Amino acid sequence: MSPASRPTRWLPRRACIVAVFLCLAAQLCLTATAAANVRLTHNATEDTSPCADVGSDGLPRVAWSRWVDGGHQIMWAVFDRSGEAVVGPVQVTASATSSGSPNISLDVQDRSFLVWQEGAGTSAKTYFARVDADGTIGVAPRIVSTGNGYDWLPDIATSPDGVSHIAVQHTYATFWYCAYRRLDAAGAPSCGHMPGDFCMFPIDKHVSIELNDARDPR
């Protein structure tokens, strides 16, 4: 084979490889697009504010706010990869006010630790509950907020052993600040201070940081 003939045979082969690669990439893109558009809920009214965490089985645990009988309630479910609920949906709250803006975090036992905003406006407080892996409510909804003021947009991170760390935007009078709570797996404060005892560190006249005993390294 002469050197002049090699490019003639090599270029078509390389072009074929590139064409196959592009076809595979296009197929992957189509598959990813289809998977991204799976509908999870089919409620006839209103489902809002979804949040999710992934269990040890690779399946998402999803919490959201659903309009039920004249008010928003917190819902929870486990979905498979096709978007079908394999556990639940479970209605976590039966509130007479409004339950919204949920957040979720899992421990090593795939228990779901939930926080959300209960009420609206100046009456909003932070609530907590635990849903166990089988969908039973392990800890019934309970208030986390203490003292005066109101809360907005709570967030949660849970350690493998079920200790939950909760951060929330809190408002009192003309002050906005970040507040922190730490709860054990049963929803009880796992710190040396009683709920409501705070250390407050002002940043300026409008903002400060509030901690409820953060000495535990967890």
Side-chain angles (χ1 to χ4, degrees):
M1 181 184 298
S2 66
S5 65
R6 290 177 184 172
T8 303
R9 299 185 61 186
W10 170 244
L11 287 174
R13 183 181 299 175
R14 184 168 60 180
C16 289
I17 293 173
V18 171
V20 170
F21 175 78
L22 290 175
C23 288
L24 290 174
Q27 183 62 40
L28 289 172
C29 288
L30 289 173
T31 303
T33 301
N37 293 323
V38 172
R39 182 171 179 174
L40 297 182
T41 65
H42 302 271
N43 185 35
T45 56
E46 181 180 287
D47 290 327
T48 61
S49 305
C51 59
D53 199 358
V54 179
S56 60
D57 54 7
L59 300 181
R61 277 67 174 165
V62 181
W64 69 96
S65 181
R66 167 172 288 180
W67 185 263
V68 179
D69 297 330
H72 286 98
Q73 307 297 342
I74 301 300
M75 306 294 295
W76 174 95
V78 182
F79 293 93
D80 64 17
R81 291 171 179 81
S82 68
E84 294 297 320
V86 293
V87 183
V90 174
Q91 182 174 328
V92 179
T93 63
S95 173
T97 57
S98 178
S99 304
S101 301
N103 264 303
I104 185 172
S105 186
L106 271 61
D107 69 359
V108 73
Q109 300 179 49
D110 287 337
R111 297 180 295 183
S112 297
F113 296 80
L114 306 174
V115 290
W116 65 91
Q117 181 179 309
E118 187 74 24
T122 57
S123 65
K125 298 292 185 181
T126 300
Y127 272 65
F128 167 92
R130 192 189 79 216
V131 181
D132 292 340
D134 60 358
T136 60
I137 297 179
V139 177
R142 61 183 59 189
I143 190 170
V144 175
S145 304
T146 58
N148 298 318
Y150 52 97
D151 295 339
W152 290 89
L153 305 175
D155 200 1
I156 186 170
T158 303
S159 65
D161 59 353
V163 175
S164 292
H165 302 261
I166 300 168
V168 62
Q169 177 182 311
H170 185 79
T171 304
Y172 176 65
T174 60
F175 289 90
W176 295 77
Y177 54 86
C178 297
Y180 168 85
R181 304 285 189 279
R182 189 175 71 249
L183 306 178
D184 65 18
S190 60
C191 55
H193 292 169
M194 294 295 291
D197 291 343
F198 305 119
C199 298
M200 185 179 296
F201 303 94
I203 297 176
D204 58 34
K205 67 177 183 179
H206 298 297
V207 182
S208 60
I209 301 295
E210 175 183 297
L211 294 177
N212 187 328
D213 187 7
R215 289 175 294 176
D216 191 326
R218 291 180 298 176

